[in-house]
Amino acid sequence: MRKSLITLALIGLLAVPAMAAQTYTYDWSGDADYLGCFGSDASAEIYALQDHTGDGGGSLLLTKNNWGPYANGFVASVWGLQEGDEVTVTCWRYDNYSSMPYFALWSHYNDALEEAADARGQDMAVDDGNCYGNSQLGVQNGWEEYSHTWTIGAGHTGLVIDAQVYGSTGAYMLVDDLSITVPDHASVRTPDTVYPAGGEPTA
C-alpha cells in the first residue's frame, strides 16, 4: 500500500508541467542606449569603440552624474510577474580601474509598469522597493560577467533591472551582452524592443 502511494505521488509530480521560460538579449549594437534613470542621476550613450566580444558592435557607456554614492541606469524591465516567479539576468561589465568605481547588477520593483496602456508610456522611475541583486566587486580591470536571479515577492508584478555605478561624479562603466530570462507569462522591455507575453515583439 505504501509503495503504491509513493508511486502515485511520483506520477503526480511528473504530471505537473515545468514552467516555461523565455530568454531575451540585447548587445548595444543598435542605437538604443538605456531606459532611463532616477532624475538626472546618470547619462548613457553607445560606445562604439569597445564591446565584450570584440566584434565592433558597441556597448553601453553609463556615466554617474550625481553627488551620491551611486547611480542607476535602467537596462531592462519585466511586468506581468507573479509571486515566486524567477527573473535571471546576465551581463558583462568593463571596469577601467583597479579601485573605484564599482558596479552592481541591481533592481527595483515597479508595479506601475502594467498600468500604462502602451509600453512607451511606462514610467521606469516608479520605485516600489529595492529587490537588491549582485553586488560583488569582482576582479575589476577588464570585462567580467555578472549574473543574478531574483525571486519575486508577494504583492509585486513589475521589476526594473538596474546597472549601478558606484563612485565619484563622472565615474563610468561599460555594459554589454544583456540576457534576461523570465516566465513565459511575463512581458519584457530591453532598450530597443518590447516583448509582450504571447505577442509579437515591437521595436
Side-chain angles (χ1 to χ4, degrees):
M1 179 66 177
R2 186 168 177 269
K3 183 182 288 188
S4 299
L5 289 174
I6 292 172
T7 302
L8 288 172
L10 287 172
I11 292 172
L13 286 173
L14 292 173
V16 176
M19 183 180 295
Q22 299 289 332
T23 298
Y24 307 97
T25 61
Y26 187 62
D27 65 0
W28 283 278
S29 60
D31 297 326
D33 44 34
Y34 74 158
L35 300 178
C37 62
F38 293 116
S40 57
D41 281 359
S43 57
E45 60 183 284
I46 301 296
Y47 187 70
L49 300 180
Q50 189 169 10
D51 70 338
H52 164 240
T53 58
D55 62 6
S59 57
L60 171 69
L61 173 61
L62 186 66
T63 303
K64 179 180 177 292
N65 293 334
N66 64 17
W67 294 96
Y70 60 84
N72 292 337
F74 311 148
V75 294
S77 63
V78 191
W79 61 100
L81 293 166
Q82 303 167 9
E83 179 181 357
D85 280 352
E86 291 188 346
V87 175
T88 298
V89 174
T90 299
C91 69
W92 288 79
R93 71 99 180 98
Y94 181 84
D95 187 348
N96 198 38
Y97 301 91
S98 57
S99 57
M100 280 284 202
Y102 298 140
F103 175 82
L105 180 58
W106 216 243
S107 71
H108 65 276
Y109 285 120
N110 181 338
D111 302 321
L113 293 173
E114 287 192 90
E115 298 171 7
D118 187 299
R120 289 169 293 187
Q122 292 174 333
D123 183 357
M124 295 291 157
V126 171
D127 187 354
D128 290 311
N130 232 331
C131 199
Y132 307 100
N134 184 341
S135 58
Q136 298 300 311
L137 298 182
V139 297
Q140 305 185 300
N141 268 340
W143 287 105
E144 185 169 11
E145 186 178 42
Y146 272 63
S147 184
H148 191 74
T149 297
W150 291 268
T151 301
I152 303 305
H156 292 293
T157 59
L159 189 70
V160 176
I161 307 303
D162 307 329
Q164 193 171 77
V165 181
Y166 287 79
S168 58
T169 303
Y172 67 88
M173 284 283 173
L174 297 180
V175 183
D176 201 7
D177 291 335
L178 177 78
S179 171
I180 179 167
T181 300
V182 302
D184 61 3
H185 57 256
S187 299
V188 168
R189 184 177 181 179
T190 64
D192 71 337
T193 306
V194 174
Y195 300 93
E200 292 296 318
T202 303

